[in-house]
Amino acid sequence: MSTSSASTVTRFAPSPTGWIHVGNLRTALMNYLIARQNGGTFILRLDDTDQERSKQEYIDGLKADLAWLGIRYDRIEQQSKRMARYAEAAEALKAAGRFYECFETPVELDLKRKKQLNMGKPPVYDRAALALTEEQKAAYRAEGRQGYWRFKLDLERIEWTDGIIGPISIDAASVSDPVLIKADGQVLYTFASSVDDVDMGVTHIVRGADHVTNTATQIQIMKALGGTPPTFAHHSLLTGPQGEELSKRLGVLSLRDLRARGVEPMALLSLMARLGSSKPVELVSSMDELVAGFEVGSFGAAPTKFDAEDLFPLTRHHVQALPFEAVKDRIAGLGVPEAEAEAFWAVAKGNITILDDLGPWWTLFRDGAEPVIDEADRDFVRQALALLPAQPWTTATWGEWTATVKEATGRKGKDLFRPLRRALTGRDAGPEMADVMPLLRKLPGV
């Protein structure tokens, strides 16, 4: 997929009928990166022609998700505001003989498909509606039937070079003439999208491999509208970690849910920008770095395994590398005194995966831990705590105290250190205890 001009225009065209998920993000990100690589235009286009299912809350959620990720669109379009343009385009196609009205019911169409399959033929619409007279159409309307509109395909091979899959050739005779306007007047995606892509000068489209056949019909629609089809690329579809179908789980893989789980934007973007490509997944530090390293041609068409748990190691690496300035407001929000905030971050950051993990660490330092003490160690811990000097404690306190305890009890190594760590923090592992001691405010009750 060659991109080399500021005239590059890409788009992300979600339907605001639910919360966007990782599959949507993959498409949005690829189109965004192509636009940014070329100083072009990235359009957010809301496919909201289904007014019953489209909701403002999903539009607001979509905008919030993109803002969280740092994906900035240059302008926003709404298909529901372009209905007059679609009606105008439909009239032009009718006049050109490329739009025709049909009246078959879903039951009748299903019977036709079954009959064709039983005869060993592909279940392609037979174009019976083309033979209808005006009197027959009027009779159908008198019965209460409402007509819907199909696009008449030219029965030829539709060919293009896909930016990911490579050369594609589809025989239009093997595809049904697509329904573009439903009987209730709803303009369907295939038509509205084609009109928009032509009108908005879209030059590059990246989308899922499930759209390949749809692309073939849209190429003909765009040409019939007098437009030049953009360069297409079809990325692989995501599966679960075991290769299972992911579509049933996408509801729990919404961006808002991943954000609520503490996933960091750069972790999610780093994975999505490389997953399914020949390049290794690496945590990147900025959107500029993602833009510079993106190559749509490095992706494959085979189904790609996605495991949300892979986001957490990337999130951990990102979070632990953050400078204090990036987290000081969050730490202040926990109630950490300003004088202790930087020391708290230095101690806690190596022991968290998500930023929400900071809260339990401050609670431990502020309120003391629920001690974990084996019965065999209880007397030892009591004796050790009696030897602990009075506060304030410093980074030297741990070493001095454990040396005193060692001399008094004869314990050493893990038999000395582990019970004391568990008594003070309630944990088997964590930050260096020398660094923890100055932050501890309360001792456990033993």
Side-chain angles (χ1 to χ4, degrees):
M1 179 177 272
S2 174
T3 61
S4 58
S5 169
S7 62
T8 297
V9 179
T10 67
R11 47 68 161 185
F12 172 47
S15 298
T17 56
W19 310 113
I20 65 169
H21 49 68
V22 290
N24 302 133
L25 170 60
R26 200 153 171 249
T27 298
L29 181 61
M30 289 184 178
N31 286 287
Y32 175 80
L33 295 176
I34 288 170
R36 291 294 171 260
Q37 279 183 334
N38 298 280
T41 300
F42 176 67
I43 301 170
L44 171 60
R45 195 171 73 210
L46 301 174
D47 177 5
D48 60 347
T49 56
D50 185 344
Q51 289 293 286
E52 281 191 19
R53 297 176 60 225
S54 297
K55 307 290 184 187
Q56 185 62 44
E57 65 178 312
Y58 296 136
I59 295 175
D60 294 340
L62 165 63
K63 291 178 179 178
D65 286 335
L66 294 180
W68 171 62
L69 290 165
I71 296 177
R72 316 293 181 194
Y73 43 88
D74 297 298
R75 74 175 199 261
I76 186 169
E77 300 280 355
Q78 226 166 319
Q79 290 187 332
S80 59
K81 297 179 180 178
R82 289 175 50 78
M83 301 308 295
R85 172 63 185 123
Y86 304 140
E88 179 184 89
E91 289 303 316
L93 291 179
K94 290 175 190 177
R98 302 301 296 273
F99 242 21
Y100 63 99
E101 193 174 15
C102 306
F103 291 87
E104 292 97 341
T105 66
V107 171
E108 289 169 344
L109 290 172
D110 188 52
L111 288 173
K112 283 187 177 186
R113 283 191 291 267
K114 288 178 178 177
K115 183 176 180 180
Q116 288 170 317
L117 289 170
N118 288 337
M119 296 172 64
K121 296 180 179 180
V124 175
Y125 179 62
D126 60 8
R127 294 184 165 179
L130 282 172
L132 292 176
T133 64
E134 290 304 316
E135 290 75 13
Q136 288 173 314
K137 293 178 183 179
Y140 278 132
R141 293 190 186 98
E143 289 178 13
R145 297 195 190 196
Q146 293 191 328
Y148 56 92
W149 294 84
R150 290 182 185 268
F151 177 76
K152 184 182 177 184
L153 292 166
D154 285 333
L155 301 184
E156 60 188 19
R157 297 207 73 84
I158 305 169
E159 299 179 332
W160 73 95
T161 300
D162 192 271
I164 292 174
I165 299 173
I168 295 179
S169 177
I170 293 178
D171 184 358
S174 68
V175 181
S176 292
D177 289 341
V179 176
L180 299 189
I181 301 178
K182 294 172 65 174
D184 62 3
Q186 182 185 340
V187 175
L188 295 182
Y189 164 83
T190 305
F191 183 43
S193 181
S194 298
V195 174
D196 290 346
D197 289 335
V198 169
D199 287 357
M200 297 173 191
V202 173
T203 60
H204 297 79
I205 295 174
V206 185
R207 57 188 181 184
D210 54 336
H211 279 286
V212 168
T213 300
N214 194 40
T215 293
T217 60
Q218 285 187 305
I219 285 173
Q220 281 208 8
I221 295 168
M222 291 176 189
K223 288 180 177 179
L225 291 168
T228 300
T231 300
F232 286 95
H234 294 83
H235 61 68
S236 61
L237 300 181
L238 297 179
T239 72
Q242 306 303 318
E244 71 273 23
E245 185 178 344
L246 194 65
S247 59
K248 296 176 182 177
R249 297 180 53 229
L250 284 177
V252 297
L253 295 175
S254 68
L255 302 195
R256 70 199 302 261
D257 287 343
L258 293 174
R259 182 164 74 249
R261 290 179 65 188
V263 170
E264 287 290 315
M266 288 314 305
L268 183 54
L269 292 170
S270 295
L271 182 62
M272 289 296 105
R274 291 286 181 86
L275 188 67
S277 78
S278 59
K279 297 184 175 184
V281 173
E282 298 173 337
L283 180 68
V284 300
S285 59
S286 69
M287 184 66 80
D288 287 344
E289 192 177 342
L290 274 185
V291 171
F294 180 72
E295 293 180 30
V296 72
S298 69
F299 288 82
T304 300
K305 293 180 180 179
F306 170 79
D307 188 345
E309 295 309 307
D310 291 340
L311 291 166
F312 291 95
L314 292 168
T315 289
R316 181 173 63 248
H317 293 153
H318 173 80
V319 165
Q320 293 183 357
L322 290 173
F324 172 67
E325 287 298 313
V327 297
K328 68 176 184 179
D329 290 344
R330 190 180 187 108
I331 290 174
L334 296 174
V336 181
E338 186 176 352
E340 297 179 71
E342 195 157 3
F344 170 69
W345 173 241
V347 169
K349 68 179 180 180
N351 296 273
I352 62 174
T353 294
I354 62 175
L355 287 174
D356 283 348
D357 292 340
L358 288 172
W361 277 109
W362 178 242
T363 299
L364 184 157
F365 295 149
R366 183 192 63 207
D367 301 337
E370 182 68 31
V372 176
I373 304 172
D374 292 339
E375 194 58 39
D377 292 323
R378 193 165 298 278
D379 290 341
F380 162 72
V381 171
R382 282 199 187 99
Q383 183 180 0
L385 291 177
L387 296 170
L388 183 62
Q391 291 176 303
W393 297 319
T394 70
T395 54
T397 300
W398 174 257
E400 294 169 354
W401 175 46
T402 53
T404 301
V405 173
K406 177 181 178 182
E407 185 176 344
T409 65
R411 287 209 185 195
K412 57 185 179 180
K414 69 177 183 180
D415 291 335
L416 169 67
F417 299 118
R418 184 169 179 270
L420 296 182
R421 174 188 284 279
R422 297 176 84 208
L424 292 181
T425 69
R427 302 181 182 223
D428 288 317
E432 291 292 332
M433 288 301 295
D435 298 323
V436 167
M437 295 301 289
L439 292 166
L440 281 177
R441 298 188 172 193
K442 291 185 180 180
L443 288 176
V446 179

